[in-house]
């Protein structure tokens, strides 16, 4: 059983026509999937719907064999974790304290960490290479380091699915590549289903083994990266500007 499947999903805002229709796809364990599409096409809306932040307008989201609409917030938080593009306002917390917030769905009313919880936090920090900065204040970190800490917090939730909305948006070129490689490695090594929305198409294509594509006319195409990028007409459909073309040899737009 795959951790997350979409069936004819409709996304948008209550009282308005759906932004996206007929969205069907699956996230696989051990795989990083990249969600690609033009600005304003509905990528963030789709991610918010998948994470239960925004209600769906139709269709079904199945998480670990259970309809998302029937899950409690605690159940969902134990199954899907999200890393947003926004800068965190947790500068006054230490790195360890911020990552420990990922244990909230498991710690009960008072939020007390058990030895097991602390071990999970430590392992999450080690996984992203930030264990040596555990006592540092988040406000002192670079953007790249801060993003690693946010990924560690998602890991500390021990969810089978991790969803990231533009996690490289504020990073320099080196940090973008490092972050994407980290996510690919975490998916494979920890058997996570990782879904990442990004505009760094040239950098993510070599690392993501599956793609979810939202075309300029809001069609939804899924498949293995190698197969989809071999057909330039599929990739060309991402953008309405016909002068922007995809080169399947160089694996980039020009």
């Amino acid at each position: 059983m795959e951790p997350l499947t979409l069936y004819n999903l409709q996304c948008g805002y209550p009282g308005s026509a759906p932004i996206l229709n007929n969205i069907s796809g699956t996230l696989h364990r051990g795989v990083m999937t990249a969600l690609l599409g033009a600005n304003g096409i509905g990528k963030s809306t789709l991610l918010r719907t998948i994470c239960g932040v925004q209600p769906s307008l139709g269709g079904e989201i199945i998480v670990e064999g259970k309809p998302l609409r029937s899950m409690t917030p605690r159940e969902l938080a134990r199954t899907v974790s999200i890393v947003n593009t926004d800068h965190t306002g947790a500068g006054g917390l230490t790195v360890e304290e911020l990552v420990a917030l990922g244990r909230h769905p498991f710690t009960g009313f008072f939020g007390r960490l058990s030895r097991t919880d602390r071990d999970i936090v430590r392992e999450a920090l080690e996984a992203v290479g930030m264990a040596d900065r555990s006592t540092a204040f988040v406000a002192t970190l670079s953007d790249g380091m801060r993003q690693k800490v946010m990924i560690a917090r998602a890991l500390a939730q021990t969810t089978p699915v991790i969803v990231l909305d533009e996690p490289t948006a504020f990073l320099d070129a080196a940090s973008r590549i490092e972050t994407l490689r980290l996510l690919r490695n975490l998916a494979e090594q920890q058997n996570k289903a990782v879904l990442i929305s990004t505009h760094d198409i040239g950098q993510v294509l070599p690392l993501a083994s599956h793609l979810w594509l939202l075309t300029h006319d809001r069609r939804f195409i899924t498949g293995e990266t190698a197969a989809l990028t071999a057909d330039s007409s599929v990739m060309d459909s991402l953008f309405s500007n016909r002068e922007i073309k995809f080169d399947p040899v160089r694996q980039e737009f020009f």
Side-chain angles (χ1 to χ4, degrees):
M1 179 179 63
E2 296 296 351
L4 190 144
T5 303
L6 312 178
Y7 294 103
N8 298 316
L9 189 66
Q10 291 182 319
C11 303
Y13 298 90
S16 301
I19 296 173
L20 301 174
N21 286 287
N22 303 317
I23 305 295
S24 296
T26 298
L27 295 181
H28 305 278
R29 298 181 194 277
V31 170
M32 183 170 79
T33 299
L35 172 62
L36 306 179
N39 276 336
I41 205 66
K43 298 189 302 297
S44 293
T45 300
L46 175 57
L47 295 187
R48 287 195 300 269
T49 305
I50 289 173
C51 295
V53 176
Q54 186 169 324
S56 66
L57 301 184
E60 195 75 88
I61 304 171
I62 303 297
V63 185
E64 291 284 271
K66 187 174 183 178
L68 183 148
R69 54 183 166 76
S70 70
M71 302 177 76
T72 67
R74 182 177 292 270
E75 286 177 322
L76 184 57
R78 292 184 176 190
T79 311
V80 179
S81 54
I82 184 168
V83 178
N84 288 310
T85 187
D86 304 327
H87 279 301
T88 176
L93 297 178
T94 67
V95 166
E96 185 175 32
E97 288 169 341
L98 179 54
V99 174
L101 292 177
R103 298 305 299 160
H104 178 70
F106 304 90
T107 54
F109 181 79
F110 293 104
R112 292 172 180 164
L113 298 179
S114 67
R115 179 176 296 181
T116 298
D117 292 321
R118 295 189 184 281
D119 287 343
I120 290 172
V121 169
R122 175 180 50 79
E123 291 167 2
L125 285 168
E126 290 175 351
V128 302
M130 290 293 290
D132 61 336
R133 302 301 298 271
S134 62
T135 61
F137 286 101
V138 174
T140 67
L141 303 179
S142 67
D143 285 341
M145 289 180 176
R146 189 174 301 195
Q147 194 61 282
K148 288 181 180 180
V149 174
M150 298 306 294
I151 293 169
R153 186 179 72 169
L155 286 176
Q157 279 182 245
T158 59
T159 58
V161 179
I162 300 178
V163 176
L164 304 100
D165 189 4
E166 292 289 344
T168 60
F170 301 110
L171 306 183
D172 59 30
S175 295
R176 289 180 181 185
I177 295 171
E178 185 180 8
T179 298
L180 293 174
R181 286 178 177 171
L182 170 63
L183 292 169
R184 189 272 313 273
N185 292 339
L186 290 174
E188 294 178 350
Q189 295 167 7
Q190 298 199 18
N191 203 32
K192 304 283 189 182
V194 174
L195 175 61
I196 172 176
S197 168
T198 181
H199 290 293
D200 294 323
I201 296 176
Q203 294 170 343
V204 80
L205 288 181
L207 299 171
S209 56
H210 284 69
L211 299 178
W212 283 8
L213 306 179
L214 280 173
T215 68
H216 71 89
D217 54 355
R218 289 191 165 89
R219 289 179 295 119
F220 188 62
I221 302 172
T222 70
E224 294 185 358
T225 302
L228 293 180
T229 58
D231 185 348
S232 60
S233 65
V234 172
M235 299 301 292
D236 289 347
S237 68
L238 286 177
F239 304 106
S240 59
N241 188 336
R242 295 185 178 181
E243 294 183 1
I244 299 175
K245 299 293 183 181
F246 184 77
D247 185 337
V249 176
R250 293 186 298 172
Q251 293 282 289
E252 61 182 24
F253 285 93
F254 64 94

